[in-house]
Structures are given as C-alpha cells and as structure tokens.
Amino acid sequence: MKLTELIRMAMRTVTGSPLRTFLTMLGVIIGVGSVVTLVAIGQGTTERIAKQYESLGANTIVVNILGTGRATQLDYAELMKFEQLPEIDTIAPTVTKAGSNVKYATEQESYTVIGTNDRYRAITKTELASGRFLSASDLEFRQNVAVLGSKVSEKFFGSADPVGEELNIDGIVFTIIGVLKEKGSNMSGTSVDGSVIVPLETARRQFKLGNIRTTYLEATSKEDIAAAKQTMTQYLTYKFKSTSGFMLVNQDELIAARTAATDTLTSQLVSVACISLVVGGIGIMNIMLVTVSERTREIGIRKSIGAKRRNILLQFLFESIVISGLGGLIGLVLGVALSLALPYLQPGQATSISVKISLYAFLFSVLVGIVFGIYPANKASRLRPIDALRFD
Amino acid sequence: MAKAVKAARAAAPIPAAGNRRTEGERLVMPMIELKNIVKSYRRGSEELQILKNVSLSVEQGDFVAIIGPSGSGKSTLMNTIGLLDVPTSGSYVLEGVATEKMSDNRLAELRNTKIGFIFQQFNLLPKLNAIENVELPLVYSGVPRKERRERALRMLGLLGMEGRGHHKPSELSGGQQQRVAIARALAMQPSLLLADEPTGALDSRTGAEVLELMIQLNEQGNTIVLITHDAHIAESARRVVSIRDGQIVDDKRLAPLPAEPSRQEVAG
C-alpha cells in the first residue's frame, strides 16, 4: 500500500473519534508546546542580554574600582595618558551620584548624575536627539552644562526641545546643551535614559564626588582587548598595590556569564518538557493497545479479505504516528503562538523562537509515535484472522 | 422455492468471476481438493478433533451446500477452505495450487484474489461507507484509487445498490448490508464465493432474496460453497454435503453441474 493511502486511512480513523484522539495527543501537545515556548523564552532572554551589551561595543572594557578612599584614587590626567598606547583607543572615566535632586520650574525629580568626558557618548554608542554632547572645552573650563537622558527630558519638557534651558541640580544651575536618544539599561545596570550627564571635573567639584569609580575603555580592536586588559591590570595593581581593589570585564565575559545561567535554566526546563513528551508517548501506547483489542474484529475482517501482516502493522503504526505527529503539530502551533504572545502578555519578557529546536521537538513527537506505536501495531498484525473474526 | 429459483435464473445478469479461460474450456482438475483434512485442538491433556479425515472436491461452476448442526465442524471446514485456518494435517489444493506450508503473506494474497467471503454477520466495517467497504479488497491488491472507485460503484450497481454508495452500514437494512458484503466479495472477481450462513441474520423474505441472488451468481458461472444448518436453504444448491461430528456423512447431487460454464466476464 502506498504511503498516502496509509496516511489517509489513519487520518480517517483518528479524526473519527476526535475527543479520544485529542485526549490521547494532549501529552504530546503539552510536551512540544512547552519545549517550543521554553526555548523561545530562554533564547529571547539570551538575545536581550547580548543586545544590551552589544550597545557597548565588542571592544569595550569596563574598569570598576571597588575600594574607596585615597588608596584607590585615580588621577584623570594620568588615566587619559593611556590613550596614547596603541592597544587603547579611547577612555571615558565616570563618577556617578544617584538620587540627585533635579529641578525645573516647579517640578522636581531625583535622577542619577554622571560626570564624564567627551568620549563617553562614542564608547556607550548613544545617539543624540538634539543639541550636542560634552566637548573638550566644556571639560577643560568645567562648564556647568548638562546633557539629558531621554526620560529626564521627557519628564520636564515633554516633546519640546530643552536645549538652552536651565536646570537646577542639587541647587546648582546647569545649562542644557543636548538630549540623548532612548537607550535602555547599559552594562553596569544604570540607565543613561534616567541620567543627567555633566563634565567630569564639574561633577567632582560641584557635587563633591571623589573617586573615579567606573571607567569605560575602548580597545583599538578585538585583538587588542587582552593587551589592553593586561596593561590596565598592571597599572592598577602597581597603583593600588593590590590586585583586589578593581575589576575588569569586557562584553564577551559578561554575555558568557549571563547566558550560561540562562542556558542552564532553559535546558533544565526543556528536559522536564521532554519527560512530558515521553509520558505522552506512553499515553498513546496505552490507547493504541485499547484500540487494537477493540478492533480485533476489524482486523479479522481486513485479514479475511486479503490484508497482510504488513498492511495491518503499518495501519496501526501510522495511526499512532498520526496521533503523535498531529499532536506535535498542534503543540508547535500553540508553542509558537504563545511565544509570540508572551511579550505582550508579560511586558519585558523577550522571546525568540528557535526554528531548529521547534523542528526537533516536532520530529521527536513523530519518533515518540513510532517508538510507542510499534508494539501495539505488531500485536495487531500478529492476530490470526480466525481468532480475530470469532471475537465479538 | 422452485419458482423463485426460476425467476432468479431469468433475472438480469450478474457478473461471473474467476480465472479467465476461453469459453467452453473446462478445468480438468477440481477447483477445490481437500484430502484427509484433520483439524485438532489440544485442550489441556486431551486432544479435540474437529475435523476427522475429511476429503472433498468441488468442481468449477458448482454450488455446494455444506450442511450440519452446530458443533459438527462445518465452520472449521469453511475456515479451512477459506484459508483462514490451517489444518493440522491433510492437503488442500486450490485451483491446482497446494496451500499447505504457504507463508502468511501468500495465504493473504490467495484470500484476496481467489476467495470472496460472505458472512452471516455481513462483517462490513462500520466506519466506512458502502463504496469504501467494497473497495477494501481492491486496496489490499493495490488497485489505483480511481479504478477502485469505479469498480466498487459498478459492483454496487449490479447488486441493485446504486445510490446507496455513501451510506454507512448502520444506515442500511440487513438485506442491503448483505448486498454490500456480496459486492465486496465479488469485487476482486474471485474463483470461489464462500458463504457462511449468508441468510442467518436476515428475516425470511430478505433471506430468500439473498439466496436467489446466490443462485443467480452461480448461474453466471461463480463457484459457490455455502455453509448452513438449514436444510431448506441447502436445497437451493446443486449439491449438498452433510457433515456431522467432523466427518462427511452424506453427499447428494440435486442438480447437475452446468455443462458449459457460462462465462460472462465482467469488464476489468
């Protein structure tokens, strides 16, 4: 018999009792559906993490100073000299003050103030929405100028352009010179969107911010990352007379650490879903065994009019495959639908459907049908026509 | 009954089936040749003999009724002739082909091509409609879909079941169901029609109709073996074989074999 014949025959039987078929395939539906969805969530999270760090640039190294006080103090001018090394392209040291009171007219709100230099925007790959970013002369002359994050600008000025307006930060007046585009949170977790950026020395003096805490460092190329890290490690170890007062990380390391955690969780969840697939397979086998004994007479009739063992075996095997395959297909559709809907149902949850894993999950469901269908089908095919006909 | 038979013999032609031979040429060997058939079952330590050394030949074109009370072994004999069951010993030659030691696959093939079964309980598949039921043997012999459908429709038409092709067995009367079953038995144009109490589940009127149909089919050249416990039904046959306790006790010829088998081949 031809394949199409077998599939058509199996489809007929399987759709003949829809409720039973649905209940039988439920395990597979849930199994495949959850594999697809869980992998989509895992992959979506991984991709979102990667995207976050990507915005920093692949060659960026973040230097965090952990200690406080004189021992771990960095000198801005000394630090900037490292730009002359071939492996280092640009350096943007920062000081931050969270919870600064920002006031405009009668409104006020607390935001983070970041003091940095003119390289900051390029390293963090932030775009300007209007005006300009900090310039070298702003730094040199310690101007009271500020660049606003998108949220800050929106809060006080809505959609209007605030360039040229004056803002009060912790009692000191700043002139707005530019506004940044929306960015999302960055590598160290602080959001540029909710910050006010001012010249480094201005921030240090006006807000009495002492030490440079975080420095962004752009290596000349990917190959120079290691050299740049080594240079900085040597310098800081010499300077602090300790190796524990600072931490250097680059994008790849951060992504690897974060994705490793996500991957572990995902693979654990997926293995639970796979167990559900196998349990679904056992359910199919159970029903197929019931079916075979229910349809003993049918088997007898078919054999009496010329069905061979192979015909009966394939008939029942294909029924099992159609049940599991159809269940897999429904699970696939539901899983994809859920993966697409999830970001809307649960804002902030990113999903990314893995075509490869989804396909594997579907193929696995078909395999489940074969593995758990072969025993009942074989049992059916072995019935002797005479015994099967006598059966009522 | 004689009148009914006469009426039936005058009725419209119904396809004859069987191996193709030229008009007038006659097989020298019998269609069925059973020799010393023994069928026994082992139940615990004792051996139960259902068939005790049965020998029987059936000629091409004959209509043989095998009659016997229940438990006489007639059903076992029919299962043996129908290749549904294998005898414990003895030989069975069907159309010159020895069937003992045949593989299951080969037996299935012979059931498919050489034998048309008509059962007391019709044995139609309840989920398939009339056309699909008639198509079933054609499915297993690999006839393409389109041709299958045409042949099934033609068979149903010849049995007066046109327009009922899409009915499920449950939507048909007993007589109609048996007609569908007969159409299925004829679909492969088998050498032998094997009927097991074909009127047993029908009321007397439709039973008589089905019996007339069988007579007609024999008139058209089909070889028929009919199993029954009813002597009246057996009278419609050309030859009556009585079986009791697993042995043939009587063998009477009521009507001669047709001199020349009238071969009215159905196309296809």
Side-chain angles (χ1 to χ4, degrees):
Chain A
M1 270 201 292
K2 276 185 272 169
L3 192 71
T4 49
E5 200 87 66
L6 283 164
I7 293 173
R8 194 182 299 126
M9 204 154 95
M11 281 299 280
R12 269 195 76 116
T13 318
V14 160
T15 52
S17 41
L19 180 66
R20 176 195 274 208
T21 302
F22 174 72
L23 292 175
T24 309
M25 58 173 61
L26 203 54
V28 176
I29 293 176
I30 293 169
V32 172
S34 43
V35 168
V36 171
T37 313
L38 291 172
V39 170
I41 291 173
Q43 192 165 300
T45 309
T46 307
E47 276 176 20
R48 201 188 50 185
I49 293 166
K51 208 171 219 165
Q52 258 175 36
Y53 296 144
E54 238 163 50
S55 64
L56 263 182
N59 303 338
T60 307
I61 300 160
V62 180
V63 183
N64 277 309
I65 309 301
L66 305 172
T68 48
R70 286 218 149 259
T72 54
Q73 195 167 10
L74 288 176
D75 181 65
Y76 176 72
E78 193 177 300
L79 201 57
M80 293 311 284
K81 282 185 185 148
F82 282 91
E83 277 191 352
Q84 288 158 20
L85 292 175
E87 65 265 32
I88 295 169
D89 186 35
T90 44
I91 301 173
T94 64
V95 291
T96 51
K97 185 181 185 226
S100 300
N101 186 31
V102 181
K103 244 163 61 178
Y104 177 77
T106 54
E107 285 187 89
Q108 59 175 355
E109 179 73 60
S110 113
Y111 288 113
T112 302
V113 171
I114 300 172
T116 186
N117 65 7
D118 53 331
R119 273 85 155 160
Y120 182 84
R121 192 180 71 82
I123 294 182
T124 58
K125 298 195 166 43
T126 318
E127 307 268 334
L128 272 171
S130 75
R132 62 174 181 85
F133 197 69
L134 303 176
S135 69
S137 67
D138 291 334
L139 265 88
E140 196 181 336
F141 298 110
R142 295 166 198 161
Q143 296 287 343
N144 282 9
V145 291
V147 177
L148 304 187
S150 60
K151 277 185 189 158
V152 183
S153 170
E154 205 184 306
K155 160 80 183 166
F156 294 117
F157 305 100
S159 54
D161 187 356
V163 174
E165 298 282 339
E166 285 184 342
L167 207 68
N168 190 307
I169 304 171
D170 282 351
I172 298 143
V173 176
F174 283 82
T175 307
I176 300 167
I177 55 166
V179 179
L180 297 173
K181 280 190 179 162
E182 196 177 322
K183 184 84 194 322
S185 56
N186 74 2
M187 181 137 88
S188 42
T190 54
S191 167
V192 182
D193 300 339
S195 304
V196 178
I197 298 164
V198 300
L200 183 76
E201 281 306 310
T202 312
R204 290 179 87 172
R205 297 195 177 219
Q206 302 286 22
F207 306 121
K208 303 186 173 56
L209 294 171
N211 293 0
I212 291 166
R213 306 209 55 90
T214 304
T215 302
Y216 297 97
L217 202 141
E218 183 86 4
T220 312
S221 71
K222 192 128 190 138
E223 289 70 43
D224 291 317
I225 293 174
K229 281 176 89 172
Q230 204 188 348
T231 308
M232 287 315 290
T233 306
Q234 276 171 359
Y235 165 66
L236 293 169
T237 308
Y238 166 78
K239 182 122 181 119
F240 298 162
K241 296 177 179 62
S242 147
T243 51
S244 61
F246 59 93
M247 211 172 73
L248 274 77
V249 280
N250 63 338
Q251 185 202 17
D252 286 353
E253 281 176 0
L254 276 171
I255 292 175
R258 291 273 184 107
T259 48
T262 319
D263 286 352
T264 310
L265 187 67
T266 307
S267 63
Q268 279 168 356
L269 289 172
V270 166
S271 51
V272 171
C274 283
I275 292 170
S276 141
L277 259 174
V278 172
V279 172
I282 295 167
I284 290 175
M285 177 148 123
N286 189 22
I287 288 298
M288 287 310 294
L289 284 170
V290 172
T291 303
V292 168
S293 63
E294 267 180 0
R295 285 157 64 191
T296 302
R297 195 175 182 83
E298 177 193 326
I299 295 162
I301 294 169
R302 286 181 184 274
K303 283 203 158 185
S304 75
I305 59 173
K308 296 174 182 165
R309 255 197 73 181
R310 194 183 60 234
N311 297 134
I312 302 292
L313 181 96
L314 289 176
Q315 180 190 346
F316 281 89
L317 188 58
F318 267 78
E319 275 177 34
S320 157
I321 294 172
V322 163
I323 289 174
S324 68
L326 221 54
L329 211 59
I330 294 171
L332 195 66
V333 170
L334 288 180
V336 167
L338 191 60
S339 303
L340 294 177
L342 213 57
Y344 299 97
L345 299 174
Q346 205 180 320
Q349 179 61 64
T351 55
S352 164
I353 294 157
S354 163
V355 176
K356 199 175 79 177
I357 298 288
S358 302
L359 201 70
Y360 282 166
F362 171 69
L363 290 178
F364 189 65
S365 75
V366 174
L367 187 73
V368 160
I370 296 173
V371 168
F372 290 97
I374 201 104
Y375 173 69
N378 189 48
K379 201 177 163 191
S381 77
R382 276 178 185 281
L383 285 173
R384 296 197 314 147
I386 176 77
D387 296 333
L389 267 179
R390 215 183 273 139
F391 183 89
D392 276 299
Chain B
M1 185 55 82
K3 208 174 170 186
V5 169
K6 218 170 184 179
R9 290 191 178 171
I14 279 189
N19 54 333
R20 273 144 232 200
R21 271 165 299 147
T22 49
E23 195 86 9
E25 187 192 329
R26 183 131 205 170
L27 268 183
V28 185
M29 64 189 143
M31 168 163 287
I32 293 171
E33 193 156 29
L34 297 166
K35 265 188 196 149
N36 308 325
I37 294 289
V38 173
K39 180 72 186 177
S40 54
Y41 292 101
R42 191 168 282 283
R43 189 162 292 167
S45 59
E46 61 175 320
E47 199 177 76
L48 206 67
Q49 267 201 353
I50 310 291
L51 293 177
K52 301 165 184 165
N53 222 26
V54 171
S55 295
L56 177 71
S57 300
V58 175
E59 301 295 324
Q60 152 83 38
D62 208 349
F63 184 172
V64 181
I66 296 174
I67 184 164
S70 61
S72 60
K74 62 180 193 299
S75 288
T76 308
L77 184 59
M78 167 179 139
N79 290 335
T80 306
I81 294 172
L83 298 170
L84 292 170
D85 207 356
V86 208
T88 312
S89 70
S91 82
Y92 173 19
V93 179
L94 174 65
E95 283 201 312
V97 182
T99 61
E100 57 266 24
K101 288 175 189 164
M102 256 186 189
S103 69
D104 280 357
N105 273 349
R106 187 81 183 93
L107 287 175
E109 235 166 69
L110 283 186
R111 284 196 296 269
N112 184 240
T113 55
K114 297 217 180 282
I115 298 164
F117 288 93
I118 301 164
F119 300 96
Q120 178 175 8
Q121 295 299 334
F122 324 131
N123 278 349
L124 297 173
L125 294 187
K127 289 199 174 168
L128 305 185
N129 66 28
I131 295 174
E132 289 162 334
N133 264 292
V134 176
E135 275 182 348
L136 217 50
L138 303 173
V139 169
Y140 290 120
S141 74
V143 176
R145 207 165 136 75
K146 210 179 146 206
E147 190 191 332
R148 223 158 64 198
R149 182 124 308 204
E150 282 166 8
R151 270 165 77 171
L153 281 169
R154 196 164 59 232
M155 282 300 158
L156 285 171
L158 286 167
L159 285 153
M161 291 294 292
E162 57 270 292
R164 307 263 175 187
H166 294 282
H167 289 236
K168 294 270 172 69
S170 58
E171 296 159 356
L172 297 170
S173 71
Q176 287 171 328
Q177 286 186 58
Q178 195 59 299
R179 280 167 187 272
V180 173
I182 293 170
R184 183 180 66 187
L186 290 170
M188 285 294 292
Q189 304 190 329
S191 315
L192 173 70
L193 280 180
L194 200 52
D196 182 12
E197 301 271 14
T199 61
L202 302 173
D203 63 59
S204 55
R205 208 175 66 84
T206 42
E209 273 172 30
V210 166
L211 199 59
E212 276 164 33
L213 201 56
M214 305 288 297
I215 293 163
Q216 239 179 293
L217 287 168
N218 176 244
E219 286 289 304
Q220 308 302 325
N222 289 291
T223 311
I224 299 177
V225 172
L226 182 148
I227 315 281
T228 184
H229 67 279
D230 188 335
H232 283 290
I233 288 164
E235 273 170 26
S236 307
R238 293 178 193 270
R239 178 182 164 198
V240 178
V241 175
S242 302
I243 184 166
R244 193 153 298 172
D245 295 328
Q247 280 173 313
I248 291 174
V249 292
D250 194 16
D251 193 340
K252 272 188 302 199
R253 180 157 290 286
L254 304 182
L257 273 171
E260 295 263 303
S262 53
R263 310 300 302 176
Q264 283 161 320
E265 288 277 352
V266 105

